[in-house]
Amino acid sequence: MAQLWGGRFTKETDQLVYNFNASLGFDQKLYKQDITGSMAHASMLAKQGILTEEEKEEILDGLKGILEDIQNGKLEFSPEYEDIHSFVEANLIDRKGDVGKKLHTGRSRNDQVALDMKMYVRDEIGETDLLLKELLESLLKIMEENLHTYMPGFTHLQKAQPVTLAHHFGAYFEMFKRDRSRLADTKKRLNLCPLGSGALAGTTYPLDREYTANALGFDGPTLNSMDSVSDRDYLIELLSDLSLIMMHLSRFCEEIILWNSNEYQFVEIDDGYSTGSSIMPQKKNPDIAELVRGKTGRVYGALMSMLTTMKGIPLAYNKDMQEDKEFTFDAIDTVKGCIALFNGMVSTMEFKKENMERSAKNGFTNATDAADYLVNHGVPFRDAHGIVGQLVLHCIEKNISLDEMSLEEYKAISPVFEEDIYEAISMKNCVEKRNTIGAPGTEAMKQVIELHKKYLKENS
Ligand code: ARG
């Protein structure tokens, strides 16, 4: 046990207490941020005349060596250190002697951990955003290739009106695009530097907080030292952003699972992204999609956990806050893994276009268009609705689609119908006529795809 605070204690910490309290097992993930933050702090201390130039150089050299040795595996995180901050500081003292003991001047682990966590989240937001962008590129490619792939659009999981695969995927494009912008908002709001807040009440040393904030890529220093060390809002925002990403992935997975089923046969998930059954030889299971859907619960759990942990904590830092890490790390890793796997699955999936189109035809998805045909011939919409209802009943009795009815059959129900009804309710027409922006018609979709391309270029 190597603690930074042994001075006022007369007894050794009980081993169980030590283990319960220690966080190195998980906060070692913060080593890079911790060392980078320390380097900026040391440079600032020297600039302010609190350390000499030589002392600073020694400290920076020591920290650099620690970073390299962790990265090349020479230095292992041994459990005798309480947390990543103690680990780095103790190692620095081992390497550089007394000068290492000066690093913690004007600093507390409270502002240090707040800084590390913010920098970690900032880095991870960048990585998550990149993965989302790659997913959006895959979706856009599929959209471009499927402007004319007709399929049923559903409401209540009942076939409603025909859309295209491009349009359906376009809905998810919007969701993941919003997810990126939410992550960017979170990053923007968190980007104020807590370093220099000390334990809770700042410090008497003449620290230059602007300098460290700037050196570490922040927009400026935080403005209240008590809030600085006890603010975990940005983690709650991040976990909320991540929960929404998972919710979107989960809905998408649910659809892919349905589409991949024997009943739908709209898609076939590639063998590389499917698994078999140990007992049923015919099975090819969509396990990856199911797991992504399942892991959504885990990320929601992290959000609930963090909200609950924070709800009763008085100002300022309290040890409860150490509980922010494991769930957050897990949620970030889970989401990144899920986006990457989902992207792989969706870009290797085979689309069974004929089945999609057949399904759209068989489900009376063109019934609204048949009613619109009547309206265009002077029939009031409410009457047209009733007439098409009769057509549908007739088709159900005969087990045929609207396209398969003869003109005589049409005329028997309403004399308004003429030969051009077939053209009016063709899948092509039903979709292509819908060209208000946001609708599935080819012209509208092409406009949207151009906007998406521009967006991806501007937000890389
Ligand atoms: N391991 C701690 C955490 O994760 C670091 C801050 C410790 N500060 C303290 N006063 N015990 O929150």
Side-chain angles (χ1 to χ4, degrees), residues 19 102 114 220 243 365 388 432:
N19 295 346
K102 295 193 173 183
S243 294
T365 56
V388 177
E432 304 302 340

Side-chain angles (χ1 to χ4, degrees), residues 176-399:
F176 295 121
K177 187 173 147 197
R178 285 198 295 274
D179 289 331
R180 289 186 78 199
S181 106
R182 259 187 289 271
L183 286 173
D185 284 348
T186 300
K187 183 166 161 185
K188 190 156 172 256
R189 224 180 338 273
L190 76 75
N191 209 30
L192 294 171
C193 186
L195 191 61
S197 298
L200 79 162
T203 149
T204 54
Y205 296 97
L207 303 188
D208 184 345
R209 293 195 58 213
E210 265 85 14
Y211 175 89
T212 37
N214 190 36
L216 295 168
F218 287 91
D219 297 329
T222 49
L223 298 183
N224 182 290
S225 57
M226 299 238 277
D227 178 54
S228 306
V229 294
S230 63
D231 167 32
R232 298 293 182 271
D233 289 5
Y234 64 97
L235 293 180
I236 294 171
E237 285 189 46
L238 170 77
L239 291 171
S240 157
D241 301 344
L242 296 182
S243 294
L244 280 163
I245 295 173
M246 288 307 290
M247 186 266 280
H248 295 149
L249 284 176
S250 184
R251 290 182 74 178
F252 212 162
C253 283
E254 169 66 15
E255 296 207 297
I256 289 170
I257 292 163
L258 281 173
W259 293 358
N260 187 62
S261 69
N262 206 267
E263 282 66 27
Y264 275 76
Q265 297 186 35
F266 282 8
V267 298
E268 183 161 348
I269 299 177
D270 191 75
D271 275 6
Y273 287 86
S274 311
T275 48
S277 156
S278 59
I279 173 167
M280 298 165 282
Q282 84 283 12
K283 292 271 261 178
K284 213 178 112 181
N285 294 328
D287 285 29
I288 299 307
E290 290 168 22
L291 266 174
V292 172
R293 188 178 60 184
K295 285 179 190 290
T296 305
R298 189 166 164 151
V299 177
Y300 289 4
L303 172 62
M304 285 308 125
S305 162
M306 195 63 217
L307 279 166
T308 312
T309 296
M310 291 306 292
K311 76 179 263 295
I313 305 187
L315 288 177
Y317 178 84
N318 294 263
K319 196 64 179 252
D320 317 41
M321 289 172 183
Q322 181 165 290
E323 285 297 306
D324 62 359
K325 290 180 193 62
E326 284 163 289
F327 282 115
T328 304
F329 294 156
D330 182 72
I332 293 171
D333 293 345
T334 301
V335 171
K336 287 199 305 186
C338 286
I339 302 172
L341 272 165
F342 183 87
N343 192 359
M345 178 180 71
V346 95
S347 22
T348 51
M349 206 160 72
E350 184 198 335
F351 296 102
K352 307 211 160 177
K353 303 184 186 185
E354 329 72 57
N355 291 352
M356 291 181 174
E357 183 162 349
R358 192 174 325 115
S359 168
K361 276 191 181 150
N362 292 343
F364 303 109
T365 56
N366 47 4
T368 314
D369 297 83
D372 289 344
Y373 173 92
L374 292 171
V375 172
N376 287 332
H377 289 75
V379 181
F381 183 78
R382 196 44 60 210
D383 294 340
H385 189 283
I387 293 167
V388 177
Q390 289 177 51
L391 295 179
V392 169
L393 257 183
H394 178 80
C395 287
I396 291 172
E397 271 163 24
K398 293 190 67 185
N399 193 23

Side-chain angles (χ1 to χ4, degrees), residues 23 27 83 85 109-110 113 317 319 321-322 325:
S23 55
D27 64 18
D83 54 26
H85 326 295
R109 279 184 296 164
N110 296 354
V113 76
Y317 178 84
K319 196 64 179 252
M321 289 172 183
Q322 181 165 290
K325 290 180 193 62

Side-chain angles (χ1 to χ4, degrees), residues 8 10 15 57 120 154 201 234 251-252 281 300-301 324 452:
R8 65 112 48 229
T10 50
Q15 188 64 47
E57 290 308 328
Y120 185 85
F154 297 84
Y234 64 97
R251 290 182 74 178
F252 212 162
Y300 289 4
D324 62 359
H452 287 346

